[in-house]
C-alpha cells in the first residue's frame, strides 16, 4: 500500500492551541526530518528489512485537530458514520476543564476497536499499565512523554499509520469480496454469530435472506463472464440501494462498513442479515423491496437484461439457533422459491427438510438408475380418430428402484432436469426407443411411428442433432419412423435458435411434433417457420373440453390451425367418450389416452402389436 496515494488519517486532541500548532508543523509542514530515521523505526517495530533502503515515498497525512476530549469522541463518531475512519489519534492526557484523555481513550476504543491511540503524557499523570487495563486490549496503547521530540511524533505517525493501513488491507482481502466490495461468507457468518448472541441476550428476532439470481448462468454463457461480472456488481449496488437504515441495527461489530448487513457468498448468491425484527412480515417487506429493485431492466454493454431473484427467508430462533442452521434454512427456502416458479419469496418451513431429504435420496438413486438397469420404457398407442387404427407409439419413461419401488415420472423427471441427469437419461430413452422400434420392425410388426419426448436440456444442446444422427446410425432405424416431441415452452424461450435446430433435425429425415401445445402464446408468431409434422394438444385442455367453454375454444382453434397448416393434430389425455365425440366433431386427426389404451411394458406392447397385425389381415 503506497502511503503517497493513501494519506494516513490522523486525529489530534489537545486543549492548547500552541501544541496543536506544533503538531500541524510536524505532520503537515515542510519538515527536514530524515526519512531514513523513520524507516529505521519501522524496521525496529515491524521487522521490515525493506523499510531501511530509503526508497519508500514519504507519507502524507490527513489531519483533524480538536480541542478537548468531547470533541475528539464526536469526531470519531462522525468518521464512522461517514465511513472515513481515522487510523490513529494523538490524545493529550490532561485537557481541563472537561474529561481527560483516559476517558476519551476508553470511549474511542469502544466506538472503533481498531484505531491506534497515542497518549501524550508526563507519565506522572497516569500509570501506563493502569491505563491499558481501562482501555483494552492490554498493550495496544502507545505513549509519548512531554516534552516530546518532533522525530518521535512523526515516526509514530508513519509507523502506526502504515501499520493500520496494512491491517485494513489484510482485513479487506480476508473478509471482503473483490468483485463487488461486499463482505464475503466468512465475514457474514461471523456477523450472524455475534448478532445471535445479542438477540438471545435481548430476546430479539433476526432474519437471514438468501438471494439467488434466476438463470444467471445463461448470461455468462451467452454474453461472457465480463458482462456477468458487471451484472453482479450492479446487483450488489441494487440490493444496497433497496435497503433502508432501519433494516439493520447500526452497531459496529467487526469494523466500519455501512453495508455489512449484505454479503456475497459466491457466484450469484447474496445474503442479507436483518436484526431486531418486530415481526416476520418485516423480513418479507425487505425481500419484496429487493425483488422489485432487481427486476428493473439493467443495461450492460448495449444489452438490456431482466434479472429476477429467488429469495429464501429463515428466522431466529424458530428456524435455527446458530449460523449454520439459519443459513441452511434460508438456502433451502430459496431452493423452494425456485421450484415454485422462480422470482418469488419463500419463508422456511420444517416440512421443507423432509422434502429436501426425499429429493436428495431420489437424486442419489437416480444417478445409478441406468447402470442398475432400473429404467424401462412403456409404450402408449396413438389412434387415428377416423379409422380407429393405431398410427404410432409414444415411449414413456418408467423407473423401478430397488429401495423406493416404482417412482412416478412427475416425482423424478423434475429432479433429473434440475440436476442435469436428464441429458444422459434422455439419450438412453432415445436410443432404447429406436432399438425397440427397429427390433419390432425386423420381427415383422407394424411400427410406423415411434414418438420420443425431448427435454429442454437435450434440445438446447448444440450437438443434439448430431446425437440424434448418431443414434439413428447405431440402431439402423429409418429416420422417418422417429418422431421427436419438443415441448412448446422450450421453443418459446428462444424461438430463433429453436428454428435452426428444427431445420437441422428435419434434414435428418425425422418427424417433429410440438408437445403440450396451447400452454404458451409467443410461439404463435413463429409457428409457420417451424417445419413440424404434428401438434399435440395439452391434456389440461382435453380434461375439461366438454365442460369449459374456454378449453373447448382453445382445442377447436388448435385443430383449425393444424388444418390450415396441413399438419396433423393429436389430442392427449382422452379418457371419456364425450371427449372423443367432441374431438371427432371438430375433425381432430388423432388421439391417445386411457380411453383407448394404457401405457404397456415391452412384453404387453409386443403382444398388442401381434394382435393388431392379425386383426388387420
Amino acid at each position: 500500500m503506497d502511503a503517497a496515494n493513501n494519506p494516513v488519517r490522523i486525529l489530534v486532541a489537545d486543549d492548547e492551541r500552541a501544541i496543536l500548532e506544533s503538531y500541524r508543523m510536524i505532520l503537515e509542514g515542510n519538515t527536514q526530518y530524515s526519512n531514513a530515521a523513520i524507516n529505521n523505526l519501522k524496521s525496529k517495530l515491524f521487522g521490515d528489512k525493506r523499510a531501511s533502503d530509503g526508497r519508500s515515498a514519504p507519507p502524507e497525512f490527513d489531519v483533524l485537530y480538536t480541542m478537548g476530549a468531547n470533541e475528539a469522541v464526536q469526531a470519531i463518531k462522525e468518521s464512522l458514520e461517514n465511513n472515513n475512519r481515522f487510523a490513529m489519534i494523538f490524545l493529550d492526557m490532561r485537557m481541563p476543564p472537561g474529561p481527560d484523555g483516559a476517558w476519551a481513550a476508553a470511549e474511542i476504543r469502544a466506538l472503533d476497536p481498531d484505531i491506534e491511540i497515542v497518549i501524550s503524557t508526563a507519565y506522572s499523570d497516569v500509570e501506563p499499565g493502569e491505563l491499558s487495563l481501562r482501555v483494552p486490549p492490554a498493550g495496544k496503547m502507545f505513549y509519548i512523554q512531554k516534552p516530546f521530540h518532533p522525530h518521535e511524533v512523526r515516526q509514530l505517525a508513519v509507523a502506526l499509520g502504515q501499520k493500520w493501513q496494512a491491517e485494513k488491507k489484510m482485513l479487506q482481502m480476508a473478509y471482503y469480496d473483490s468483485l463487488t466490495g461486499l463482505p464475503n461468507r466468512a465475514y457474514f457468518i461471523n456477523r450472524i454469530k455475534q448478532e445471535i448472541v445479542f438477540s438471545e441476550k435481548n430476546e430479539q428476532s433476526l432474519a437471514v435472506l438468501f438471494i439467488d439470481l434466476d438463470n444467471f448462468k445463461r448470461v455468462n454463457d451467452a454474453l461472457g463472464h465480463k458482462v456477468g461480472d458487471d451484472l453482479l456488481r450492479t446487483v450488489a449496488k441494487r440490493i444496497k440501494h433497496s435497503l433502508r437504515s432501519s433494516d439493520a441495527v447500526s452497531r459496529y461489530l467487526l469494523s466500519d462498513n455501512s453495508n455489512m448487513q449484505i454479503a456475497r457468498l459466491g457466484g450469484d448468491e447474496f445474503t442479507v442479515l436483518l436484526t431486531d425484527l418486530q415481526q416476520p412480515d418485516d423480513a418479507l417487506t425487505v425481500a419484496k423491496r429487493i425483488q422489485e429493485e432487481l427486476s428493473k431492466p439493467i443495461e450492460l454493454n448495449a444489452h438490456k437484461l431482466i434479472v429476477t431473484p429467488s429469495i429464501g427467508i429463515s428466522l431466529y430462533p424458530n428456524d435455527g439457533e446458530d449460523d449454520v442452521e439459519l443459513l441452511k434454512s434460508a438456502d433451502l427456502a430459496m431452493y423452494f422459491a425456485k421450484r415454485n416458479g422462480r422470482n418469488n419469496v419463500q419463508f422456511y418451513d420444517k416440512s421443507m427438510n423432509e422434502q429436501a431429504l426425499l429429493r436428495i435420496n431420489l437424486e442419489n438413486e437416480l444417478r445409478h438408475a441406468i447402470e442398475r438397469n432400473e429404467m424401462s420404457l412403456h409404450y402408449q398407442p396413438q389412434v387415428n380418430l377416423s379409422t380407429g387404427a393405431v398410427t404410432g407409439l409414444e415411449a414413456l419413461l418408467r423407473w423401478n428402484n430397488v429401495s423406493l419401488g416404482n417412482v412416478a415420472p412427475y416425482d423424478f423427471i423434475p429432479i433429473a432436469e434440475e440436476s442435469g441427469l436428464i441429458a444422459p437419461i434422455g439419450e438412453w430413452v432415445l436410443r432404447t426407443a429406436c432399438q425397440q422400434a427397429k427390433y419390432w420392425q425386423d420381427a415383422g410388426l407394424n411400427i410406423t411411428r415411434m414418438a420420443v419426448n425431448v427435454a429442454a436440456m437435450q434440445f438446447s444442446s448444440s450437438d443434439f442433432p448430431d446425437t440424434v444422427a448418431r443414434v439413428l446410425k447405431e440402431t439402423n432405424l429409418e429416420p422417418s419412423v422417429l418422431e421427436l416431441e419438443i415441448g412448446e415452452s422450450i421453443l418459446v424461450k428462444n424461438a430463433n435458435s429453436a428454428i435452426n435446430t428444427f431445420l437441422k433435425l428435419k434434414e435428418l429425415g425425422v418427424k417433429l411434433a410440438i408437445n403440450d401445445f396451447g400452454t404458451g402464446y409467443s410461439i404463435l408468431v413463429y409457428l409457420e417457420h417451424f417445419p413440424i409434422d404434428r401438434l399435440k394438444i395439452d391434456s389440461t385442455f382435453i380434461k375439461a373440453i366438454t365442460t369449459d367453454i374456454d378449453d373447448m375454444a382453445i382445442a377447436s382453434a388448435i385443430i383449425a390451425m393444424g388444418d390450415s397448416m396441413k399438419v396433423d393434430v393429436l389430442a392427449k389425455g382422452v379418457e371419456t367418450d364425450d371427449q372423443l365425440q367432441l374431438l371427432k366433431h371438430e375433425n381432430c386427426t388423432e388421439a391417445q389416452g386411457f380411453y383407448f389404451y394404457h401405457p404397456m411394458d415391452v412384453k404387453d406392447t409386443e403382444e398388442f402389436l401381434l394382435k393388431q397385425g392379425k386383426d388387420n389381415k
Side-chain angles (χ1 to χ4, degrees):
M1 185 173 291
D2 188 354
N5 296 325
N6 297 276
V8 176
R9 195 151 193 261
I10 298 174
L11 179 65
V12 178
D14 201 292
D15 62 322
E16 297 185 37
R17 295 191 181 278
I19 294 180
L20 292 178
E21 187 60 30
S22 297
Y23 276 109
R24 188 188 306 276
M25 292 178 62
I26 295 169
L27 298 174
E28 299 183 51
N30 185 16
T31 67
Q32 300 177 0
Y33 307 125
S34 167
N35 287 327
I38 295 169
N39 289 327
N40 186 50
L41 177 64
K42 288 168 61 181
S43 177
K44 290 180 179 179
L45 285 175
F46 311 117
D48 185 358
K49 296 179 180 179
R50 295 170 300 172
S52 60
D53 62 9
R55 290 180 294 178
S56 60
E60 293 182 1
F61 302 113
D62 176 12
V63 190
L64 178 67
Y65 305 92
T66 59
M67 296 283 293
N70 284 318
E71 285 189 26
V73 173
Q74 182 60 35
I76 295 295
K77 289 180 179 178
E78 291 176 1
S79 74
L80 293 172
E81 290 171 359
N82 298 325
N83 196 22
N84 189 21
R85 299 169 66 200
F86 290 101
M88 62 180 300
I89 177 172
F90 286 99
L91 191 60
D92 189 29
M93 189 63 206
R94 300 295 181 187
M95 293 183 284
D100 63 10
W103 173 87
E107 292 290 315
I108 289 169
R109 181 76 84 211
L111 289 169
D112 187 349
D114 299 325
I115 192 170
E116 302 288 352
I117 299 177
V118 179
I119 296 291
S120 174
T121 176
Y123 284 124
S124 59
D125 295 325
V126 67
E127 170 61 36
E130 179 186 336
L131 185 55
S132 292
L133 293 176
R134 292 175 58 185
V135 187
K140 192 175 171 62
M141 188 83 71
F142 295 85
Y143 305 89
I144 54 175
Q145 186 176 6
K146 291 182 178 179
F148 49 75
H149 193 281
H151 282 309
E152 190 176 11
V153 172
R154 188 169 177 83
Q155 287 169 348
L156 277 172
V158 172
L160 296 181
Q162 292 188 345
K163 171 179 175 287
W164 182 89
Q165 288 180 329
E167 289 174 349
K168 282 288 292 178
K169 186 175 182 179
M170 291 175 62
L171 181 67
Q172 187 75 22
M173 294 172 64
Y175 288 108
Y176 289 84
D177 172 47
S178 60
L179 179 66
T180 63
L182 293 178
N184 61 16
R185 178 184 289 271
Y187 191 122
F188 192 75
I189 289 174
N190 198 19
R191 177 80 200 281
I192 295 177
K193 289 178 179 177
Q194 296 183 54
E195 283 294 350
I196 285 176
V197 172
F198 184 90
S199 297
E200 182 179 15
K201 181 179 178 181
N202 294 277
E203 297 184 349
Q204 293 177 347
S205 179
L206 60 85
V208 173
L209 275 59
F210 202 109
I211 306 164
D212 188 274
L213 304 183
D214 299 328
N215 301 316
F216 173 73
K217 186 176 182 298
R218 292 183 184 175
V219 176
N220 268 344
D221 292 345
L223 303 178
H225 288 279
K226 184 182 183 304
V227 174
D229 288 348
D230 289 342
L231 177 60
L232 291 174
R233 280 189 282 264
T234 302
V235 166
K237 291 176 182 177
R238 290 199 174 187
I239 294 176
K240 286 164 57 178
H241 182 263
S242 67
L243 298 177
R244 306 289 190 265
S245 60
S246 60
D247 293 338
V249 177
S250 57
R251 292 188 299 274
Y252 295 89
L253 298 173
L254 292 177
S255 71
D256 71 301
N257 193 289
S258 59
N259 307 318
M260 61 183 175
Q261 68 270 22
I262 315 169
R264 179 187 176 219
L265 298 194
D268 60 334
E269 294 178 341
F270 296 83
T271 48
V272 174
L273 178 62
L274 304 174
T275 57
D276 194 16
L277 289 181
Q278 301 302 309
Q279 54 187 358
D281 281 351
D282 291 345
L284 181 61
T285 299
V286 175
K288 290 290 186 182
R289 203 158 64 216
I290 293 172
Q291 184 183 27
E292 181 181 355
E293 187 71 22
L294 293 185
S295 297
K296 296 175 183 176
I298 297 174
E299 292 191 12
L300 294 173
N301 293 5
H303 300 287
K304 180 178 273 189
L305 305 176
I306 303 293
V307 177
T308 59
S310 294
I311 304 176
I313 302 174
S314 64
L315 301 172
Y316 171 83
N318 294 342
D319 303 333
E321 296 185 353
D322 58 33
D323 56 295
V324 175
E325 285 299 316
L326 278 175
L327 265 177
K328 176 184 173 184
S329 297
D331 188 7
L332 192 55
M334 180 278 296
Y335 166 74
F336 276 83
K338 281 193 179 293
R339 285 198 65 183
N340 291 336
R342 306 176 189 271
N343 192 25
N344 69 71
V345 181
Q346 288 283 320
F347 278 96
Y348 171 79
D349 185 271
K350 290 182 179 179
S351 64
M352 292 177 178
N353 272 331
E354 298 176 4
Q355 296 180 55
L357 287 173
L358 175 61
R359 183 198 184 283
I360 291 171
N361 190 26
L362 278 174
E363 183 177 332
N364 288 337
E365 293 295 324
L366 196 56
R367 290 185 181 279
H368 305 288
I370 294 177
E371 63 189 61
R372 292 172 179 167
N373 294 318
E374 295 178 348
M375 293 290 185
S376 64
L377 294 183
H378 284 206
Y379 301 89
Q380 187 172 36
Q382 299 169 332
V383 177
N384 183 294
L385 294 187
S386 297
T387 65
V390 173
T391 55
L393 300 172
E394 179 179 2
L396 300 170
L397 182 61
R398 296 293 183 264
W399 179 27
N400 188 342
N401 179 258
V402 63
S403 59
L404 301 174
N406 287 315
V407 185
Y410 57 75
D411 283 332
F412 73 84
I413 288 180
I415 294 175
E417 291 174 338
E418 292 168 13
S419 63
L421 293 171
I422 197 65
I425 290 175
E427 185 171 339
W428 179 88
V429 170
L430 177 64
R431 180 174 284 101
T432 303
C434 289
Q435 286 175 338
Q436 189 64 63
K438 177 61 177 172
Y439 174 82
W440 281 332
Q441 281 186 331
D442 292 346
L445 300 177
N446 184 29
I447 299 293
T448 58
R449 180 167 76 236
M450 176 64 75
V452 177
N453 279 281
V454 178
M457 181 175 288
Q458 286 178 279
F459 186 79
S460 61
S461 174
S462 59
D463 63 353
F464 178 63
D466 295 333
T467 299
V468 174
R470 185 176 68 254
V471 169
L472 288 171
K473 183 177 180 180
E474 291 173 359
T475 59
N476 202 29
L477 180 69
E478 181 66 30
S480 60
V481 176
L482 176 63
E483 180 169 278
L484 299 175
E485 298 184 355
I486 294 92
E488 181 183 12
S489 60
I490 300 174
L491 308 181
V492 170
K493 292 178 180 177
N494 195 338
N496 291 325
S497 175
I499 291 171
N500 292 331
T501 303
F502 260 63
L503 292 173
K504 291 179 181 179
L505 292 171
K506 201 62 182 172
E507 288 177 2
L508 298 176
V510 302
K511 290 186 173 65
L512 299 170
I514 297 181
N515 198 14
D516 301 329
F517 192 77
T519 56
Y521 302 97
S522 302
I523 195 66
L524 297 177
V525 178
Y526 301 92
L527 194 57
E528 62 182 23
H529 301 292
F530 285 100
I532 60 175
D533 299 282
R534 201 172 323 280
L535 294 175
K536 297 189 72 173
I537 305 176
D538 187 67
S539 58
T540 55
F541 299 118
I542 303 303
K543 185 175 183 179
I545 194 173
T546 60
T547 57
D548 189 294
I549 296 177
D550 291 335
D551 286 351
M552 186 187 305
I554 291 173
S556 179
I558 294 173
I559 294 168
M561 185 184 303
D563 183 59
S564 66
M565 294 174 61
K566 294 182 172 51
V567 299
D568 292 335
V569 177
L570 185 148
K572 293 173 58 179
V574 177
E575 297 182 353
T576 69
D577 186 65
D578 288 343
Q579 294 169 346
L580 172 62
Q581 297 307 319
L582 195 150
L583 290 168
K584 281 185 174 181
H585 181 266
E586 296 295 328
N587 295 318
C588 184
T589 316
E590 295 175 296
Q592 70 183 81
F594 292 167
Y595 180 80
F596 304 102
Y597 306 103
H598 284 68
M600 298 172 281
D601 61 20
V602 172
K603 181 175 179 296
D604 289 343
T605 303
E606 190 166 311
E607 291 178 357
F608 169 79
L609 292 173
L610 284 169
K611 185 176 183 302
Q612 287 286 307
K614 292 177 182 178
D615 291 344
N616 292 333
K617 287 182 179 179

